[in-house]
PDB file of all heavy atoms in Angstrom:
ATOM      1  N   CYS A 788     107.979 172.735 106.220  1.00 98.00           N
ATOM      2  CA  CYS A 788     109.178 171.908 106.049  1.00 98.00           C
ATOM      3  C   CYS A 788     108.870 170.464 105.761  1.00 98.00           C
ATOM      4  O   CYS A 788     109.783 169.656 105.611  1.00 98.00           O
ATOM      5  CB  CYS A 788     110.052 171.996 107.278  1.00 98.00           C
ATOM      6  SG  CYS A 788     110.631 173.676 107.589  1.00 98.00           S
ATOM      7  N   SER A 789     107.602 170.106 105.698  1.00 98.00           N
ATOM      8  CA  SER A 789     107.222 168.686 105.521  1.00 98.00           C
ATOM      9  C   SER A 789     107.712 168.275 104.129  1.00 98.00           C
ATOM     10  O   SER A 789     107.798 169.041 103.167  1.00 98.00           O
ATOM     11  CB  SER A 789     105.713 168.483 105.622  1.00 98.00           C
ATOM     12  OG  SER A 789     105.098 169.067 104.486  1.00 98.00           O
ATOM     13  N   PHE A 790     107.991 166.971 104.020  1.00 98.00           N
ATOM     14  CA  PHE A 790     108.443 166.424 102.749  1.00 98.00           C
ATOM     15  C   PHE A 790     107.420 166.697 101.636  1.00 98.00           C
ATOM     16  O   PHE A 790     107.806 167.120 100.535  1.00 98.00           O
ATOM     17  CB  PHE A 790     108.584 164.907 102.922  1.00 98.00           C
ATOM     18  CG  PHE A 790     108.994 164.218 101.670  1.00 98.00           C
ATOM     19  CD1 PHE A 790     110.291 164.343 101.126  1.00 98.00           C
ATOM     20  CD2 PHE A 790     108.097 163.394 101.002  1.00 98.00           C
ATOM     21  CE1 PHE A 790     110.642 163.689  99.949  1.00 98.00           C
ATOM     22  CE2 PHE A 790     108.458 162.736  99.842  1.00 98.00           C
ATOM     23  CZ  PHE A 790     109.692 162.893  99.285  1.00 98.00           C
ATOM     24  N   GLU A 791     106.141 166.494 101.954  1.00 98.00           N
ATOM     25  CA  GLU A 791     105.092 166.637 100.939  1.00 98.00           C
ATOM     26  C   GLU A 791     105.072 168.081 100.413  1.00 98.00           C
ATOM     27  O   GLU A 791     104.939 168.308  99.199  1.00 98.00           O
ATOM     28  CB  GLU A 791     103.715 166.309 101.557  1.00 98.00           C
ATOM     29  CG  GLU A 791     103.549 164.859 101.954  1.00 98.00           C
ATOM     30  CD  GLU A 791     104.392 164.383 103.111  1.00 98.00           C
ATOM     31  OE1 GLU A 791     104.754 165.238 103.962  1.00 98.00           O
ATOM     32  OE2 GLU A 791     104.772 163.211 103.156  1.00 98.00           O
ATOM     33  N   ASN A 792     105.251 169.038 101.285  1.00 97.00           N
ATOM     34  CA  ASN A 792     105.234 170.434 100.836  1.00 97.00           C
ATOM     35  C   ASN A 792     106.539 170.786 100.090  1.00 97.00           C
ATOM     36  O   ASN A 792     106.498 171.356  98.993  1.00 97.00           O
ATOM     37  CB  ASN A 792     105.085 171.386 102.051  1.00 97.00           C
ATOM     38  CG  ASN A 792     104.958 172.816 101.620  1.00 97.00           C
ATOM     39  OD1 ASN A 792     104.087 173.176 100.814  1.00 97.00           O
ATOM     40  ND2 ASN A 792     105.867 173.625 102.101  1.00 97.00           N
ATOM     41  N   MET A 793     107.663 170.429 100.719  1.00 97.00           N
ATOM     42  CA  MET A 793     108.962 170.837 100.123  1.00 97.00           C
ATOM     43  C   MET A 793     109.136 170.249  98.729  1.00 97.00           C
ATOM     44  O   MET A 793     109.572 170.912  97.820  1.00 97.00           O
ATOM     45  CB  MET A 793     110.099 170.380 101.025  1.00 97.00           C
ATOM     46  CG  MET A 793     110.134 171.078 102.343  1.00 97.00           C
ATOM     47  SD  MET A 793     111.710 171.866 102.523  1.00 97.00           S
ATOM     48  CE  MET A 793     111.222 173.525 102.804  1.00 97.00           C
ATOM     49  N   ARG A 794     108.859 168.950  98.635  1.00 97.00           N
ATOM     50  CA  ARG A 794     109.069 168.261  97.369  1.00 97.00           C
ATOM     51  C   ARG A 794     108.318 168.912  96.201  1.00 97.00           C
ATOM     52  O   ARG A 794     108.720 168.934  95.079  1.00 97.00           O
ATOM     53  CB  ARG A 794     108.647 166.810  97.507  1.00 97.00           C
ATOM     54  CG  ARG A 794     108.829 166.022  96.267  1.00 97.00           C
ATOM     55  CD  ARG A 794     108.174 164.655  96.368  1.00 97.00           C
ATOM     56  NE  ARG A 794     106.827 164.715  96.914  1.00 97.00           N
ATOM     57  CZ  ARG A 794     106.036 163.664  97.108  1.00 97.00           C
ATOM     58  NH1 ARG A 794     106.485 162.505  96.766  1.00 97.00           N
ATOM     59  NH2 ARG A 794     104.796 163.789  97.569  1.00 97.00           N
ATOM     60  N   ASN A 795     107.129 169.455  96.547  1.00 96.00           N
ATOM     61  CA  ASN A 795     106.311 170.018  95.504  1.00 96.00           C
ATOM     62  C   ASN A 795     106.514 171.485  95.173  1.00 96.00           C
ATOM     63  O   ASN A 795     105.912 172.017  94.264  1.00 96.00           O
ATOM     64  CB  ASN A 795     104.820 169.781  95.871  1.00 96.00           C
ATOM     65  CG  ASN A 795     104.464 168.322  95.689  1.00 96.00           C
ATOM     66  OD1 ASN A 795     104.888 167.709  94.728  1.00 96.00           O
ATOM     67  ND2 ASN A 795     103.718 167.777  96.653  1.00 96.00           N
ATOM     68  N   LEU A 796     107.351 172.122  95.931  1.00 96.00           N
ATOM     69  CA  LEU A 796     107.674 173.538  95.631  1.00 96.00           C
ATOM     70  C   LEU A 796     108.512 173.577  94.356  1.00 96.00           C
ATOM     71  O   LEU A 796     109.386 172.796  94.125  1.00 96.00           O
ATOM     72  CB  LEU A 796     108.506 174.165  96.766  1.00 96.00           C
ATOM     73  CG  LEU A 796     107.761 174.354  98.100  1.00 96.00           C
ATOM     74  CD1 LEU A 796     108.736 174.805  99.190  1.00 96.00           C
ATOM     75  CD2 LEU A 796     106.652 175.398  97.910  1.00 96.00           C
ATOM     76  N   GLN A 797     108.173 174.588  93.489  1.00 95.00           N
ATOM     77  CA  GLN A 797     108.866 174.680  92.192  1.00 95.00           C
ATOM     78  C   GLN A 797     110.368 174.680  92.351  1.00 95.00           C
ATOM     79  O   GLN A 797     111.058 174.004  91.565  1.00 95.00           O
ATOM     80  CB  GLN A 797     108.344 175.964  91.502  1.00 95.00           C
ATOM     81  CG  GLN A 797     108.459 175.865  89.992  1.00 95.00           C
ATOM     82  CD  GLN A 797     107.699 174.661  89.402  1.00 95.00           C
ATOM     83  OE1 GLN A 797     106.620 174.325  89.879  1.00 95.00           O
ATOM     84  NE2 GLN A 797     108.332 173.981  88.442  1.00 95.00           N
ATOM     85  N   VAL A 798     110.871 175.398  93.352  1.00 93.00           N
ATOM     86  CA  VAL A 798     112.342 175.531  93.505  1.00 93.00           C
ATOM     87  C   VAL A 798     112.970 174.128  93.772  1.00 93.00           C
ATOM     88  O   VAL A 798     114.071 173.873  93.332  1.00 93.00           O
ATOM     89  CB  VAL A 798     112.697 176.523  94.636  1.00 93.00           C
ATOM     90  CG1 VAL A 798     112.138 176.057  95.994  1.00 93.00           C
ATOM     91  CG2 VAL A 798     114.222 176.709  94.727  1.00 93.00           C
ATOM     92  N   ASN A 799     112.225 173.294  94.459  1.00 94.00           N
ATOM     93  CA  ASN A 799     112.771 171.965  94.731  1.00 94.00           C
ATOM     94  C   ASN A 799     112.503 170.926  93.627  1.00 94.00           C
ATOM     95  O   ASN A 799     113.067 169.825  93.655  1.00 94.00           O
ATOM     96  CB  ASN A 799     112.283 171.482  96.097  1.00 94.00           C
ATOM     97  CG  ASN A 799     112.769 172.350  97.244  1.00 94.00           C
ATOM     98  OD1 ASN A 799     113.911 172.822  97.202  1.00 94.00           O
ATOM     99  ND2 ASN A 799     111.915 172.597  98.216  1.00 94.00           N
ATOM    100  N   LYS A 800     111.623 171.281  92.754  1.00 92.00           N
ATOM    101  CA  LYS A 800     111.282 170.361  91.641  1.00 92.00           C
ATOM    102  C   LYS A 800     112.201 170.622  90.448  1.00 92.00           C
ATOM    103  O   LYS A 800     112.690 169.684  89.843  1.00 92.00           O
ATOM    104  CB  LYS A 800     109.808 170.566  91.193  1.00 92.00           C
ATOM    105  CG  LYS A 800     108.843 169.690  92.011  1.00 92.00           C
ATOM    106  CD  LYS A 800     107.472 170.196  91.765  1.00 92.00           C
ATOM    107  CE  LYS A 800     106.723 169.450  90.739  1.00 92.00           C
ATOM    108  NZ  LYS A 800     105.304 169.799  90.749  1.00 92.00           N
ATOM    109  N   THR A 801     112.442 171.904  90.160  1.00 88.00           N
ATOM    110  CA  THR A 801     113.206 172.190  88.943  1.00 88.00           C
ATOM    111  C   THR A 801     114.406 173.078  89.173  1.00 88.00           C
ATOM    112  O   THR A 801     115.221 173.302  88.263  1.00 88.00           O
ATOM    113  CB  THR A 801     112.276 172.919  87.924  1.00 88.00           C
ATOM    114  OG1 THR A 801     111.799 174.077  88.602  1.00 88.00           O
ATOM    115  CG2 THR A 801     111.120 172.070  87.452  1.00 88.00           C
ATOM    116  N   GLY A 802     114.600 173.537  90.432  1.00 88.00           N
ATOM    117  CA  GLY A 802     115.696 174.459  90.669  1.00 88.00           C
ATOM    118  C   GLY A 802     117.039 173.788  90.782  1.00 88.00           C
ATOM    119  O   GLY A 802     117.136 172.526  90.788  1.00 88.00           O
ATOM    120  N   GLN A 803     118.098 174.579  90.825  1.00 82.00           N
ATOM    121  CA  GLN A 803     119.435 174.067  90.931  1.00 82.00           C
ATOM    122  C   GLN A 803     120.136 174.753  92.089  1.00 82.00           C
ATOM    123  O   GLN A 803     119.795 175.885  92.443  1.00 82.00           O
ATOM    124  CB  GLN A 803     120.238 174.347  89.654  1.00 82.00           C
ATOM    125  CG  GLN A 803     119.798 173.538  88.468  1.00 82.00           C
ATOM    126  CD  GLN A 803     120.666 173.769  87.283  1.00 82.00           C
ATOM    127  OE1 GLN A 803     121.113 174.854  87.108  1.00 82.00           O
ATOM    128  NE2 GLN A 803     120.914 172.719  86.502  1.00 82.00           N
ATOM    129  N   HIS A 804     121.114 174.097  92.654  1.00 74.00           N
ATOM    130  CA  HIS A 804     121.873 174.687  93.732  1.00 74.00           C
ATOM    131  C   HIS A 804     122.557 176.004  93.268  1.00 74.00           C
ATOM    132  O   HIS A 804     123.077 176.027  92.155  1.00 74.00           O
ATOM    133  CB  HIS A 804     122.945 173.708  94.239  1.00 74.00           C
ATOM    134  CG  HIS A 804     123.590 174.090  95.530  1.00 74.00           C
ATOM    135  ND1 HIS A 804     124.517 175.033  95.631  1.00 74.00           N
ATOM    136  CD2 HIS A 804     123.297 173.689  96.818  1.00 74.00           C
ATOM    137  CE1 HIS A 804     124.889 175.205  96.897  1.00 74.00           C
ATOM    138  NE2 HIS A 804     124.146 174.381  97.656  1.00 74.00           N
ATOM    139  N   ARG A 805     122.499 177.040  94.090  1.00 67.00           N
ATOM    140  CA  ARG A 805     123.043 178.317  93.703  1.00 67.00           C
ATOM    141  C   ARG A 805     124.516 178.291  93.389  1.00 67.00           C
ATOM    142  O   ARG A 805     124.974 178.928  92.466  1.00 67.00           O
ATOM    143  CB  ARG A 805     122.824 179.331  94.851  1.00 67.00           C
ATOM    144  CG  ARG A 805     121.761 180.320  94.561  1.00 67.00           C
ATOM    145  CD  ARG A 805     121.691 181.334  95.670  1.00 67.00           C
ATOM    146  NE  ARG A 805     121.913 180.758  97.006  1.00 67.00           N
ATOM    147  CZ  ARG A 805     122.442 181.476  98.042  1.00 67.00           C
ATOM    148  NH1 ARG A 805     122.771 182.698  97.861  1.00 67.00           N
ATOM    149  NH2 ARG A 805     122.583 180.893  99.208  1.00 67.00           N
ATOM    150  N   ILE A 806     125.295 177.529  94.186  1.00 63.00           N
ATOM    151  CA  ILE A 806     126.748 177.495  93.978  1.00 63.00           C
ATOM    152  C   ILE A 806     127.129 176.309  93.129  1.00 63.00           C
ATOM    153  O   ILE A 806     127.805 176.400  92.136  1.00 63.00           O
ATOM    154  CB  ILE A 806     127.501 177.494  95.327  1.00 63.00           C
ATOM    155  CG1 ILE A 806     127.128 178.766  96.146  1.00 63.00           C
ATOM    156  CG2 ILE A 806     129.024 177.457  95.069  1.00 63.00           C
ATOM    157  CD1 ILE A 806     127.647 178.722  97.568  1.00 63.00           C
ATOM    158  N   ARG A 807     126.644 175.088  93.555  1.00 64.00           N
ATOM    159  CA  ARG A 807     127.023 173.941  92.813  1.00 64.00           C
ATOM    160  C   ARG A 807     125.940 173.704  91.777  1.00 64.00           C
ATOM    161  O   ARG A 807     124.962 172.965  91.993  1.00 64.00           O
ATOM    162  CB  ARG A 807     127.073 172.712  93.813  1.00 64.00           C
ATOM    163  CG  ARG A 807     128.269 172.770  94.678  1.00 64.00           C
ATOM    164  CD  ARG A 807     128.212 171.726  95.754  1.00 64.00           C
ATOM    165  NE  ARG A 807     127.408 172.138  96.889  1.00 64.00           N
ATOM    166  CZ  ARG A 807     126.437 171.440  97.455  1.00 64.00           C
ATOM    167  NH1 ARG A 807     126.135 170.268  96.958  1.00 64.00           N
ATOM    168  NH2 ARG A 807     125.769 171.864  98.478  1.00 64.00           N
ATOM    169  N   GLU A 808     126.088 174.363  90.657  1.00 61.00           N
ATOM    170  CA  GLU A 808     124.975 174.406  89.656  1.00 61.00           C
ATOM    171  C   GLU A 808     124.683 173.021  89.091  1.00 61.00           C
ATOM    172  O   GLU A 808     123.597 172.801  88.568  1.00 61.00           O
ATOM    173  CB  GLU A 808     125.298 175.383  88.559  1.00 61.00           C
ATOM    174  CG  GLU A 808     125.064 176.785  89.085  1.00 61.00           C
ATOM    175  CD  GLU A 808     125.476 177.882  88.128  1.00 61.00           C
ATOM    176  OE1 GLU A 808     125.890 177.526  86.976  1.00 61.00           O
ATOM    177  OE2 GLU A 808     125.387 179.074  88.488  1.00 61.00           O
ATOM    178  N   ALA A 809     125.612 172.081  89.207  1.00 65.00           N
ATOM    179  CA  ALA A 809     125.353 170.769  88.656  1.00 65.00           C
ATOM    180  C   ALA A 809     124.338 170.026  89.481  1.00 65.00           C
ATOM    181  O   ALA A 809     123.700 169.064  89.014  1.00 65.00           O
ATOM    182  CB  ALA A 809     126.679 169.964  88.580  1.00 65.00           C
ATOM    183  N   ASN A 810     124.198 170.439  90.721  1.00 76.00           N
ATOM    184  CA  ASN A 810     123.229 169.755  91.604  1.00 76.00           C
ATOM    185  C   ASN A 810     121.834 170.234  91.441  1.00 76.00           C
ATOM    186  O   ASN A 810     121.515 171.387  91.773  1.00 76.00           O
ATOM    187  CB  ASN A 810     123.648 170.018  93.048  1.00 76.00           C
ATOM    188  CG  ASN A 810     124.509 168.929  93.623  1.00 76.00           C
ATOM    189  OD1 ASN A 810     125.125 168.170  92.866  1.00 76.00           O
ATOM    190  ND2 ASN A 810     124.595 168.871  94.927  1.00 76.00           N
TER     191      ASN A 810
END
Side-chain angles (χ1 to χ4, degrees):
C788 298
S789 70
F790 176 72
E791 292 68 27
N792 183 58
M793 292 238 125
R794 180 190 45 179
N795 287 319
L796 291 171
Q797 206 55 40
V798 62
N799 295 323
K800 273 165 94 169
T801 56
Q803 288 185 326
H804 192 280
R805 251 185 324 152
I806 300 171
R807 288 172 277 131
E808 284 174 4
N810 266 19

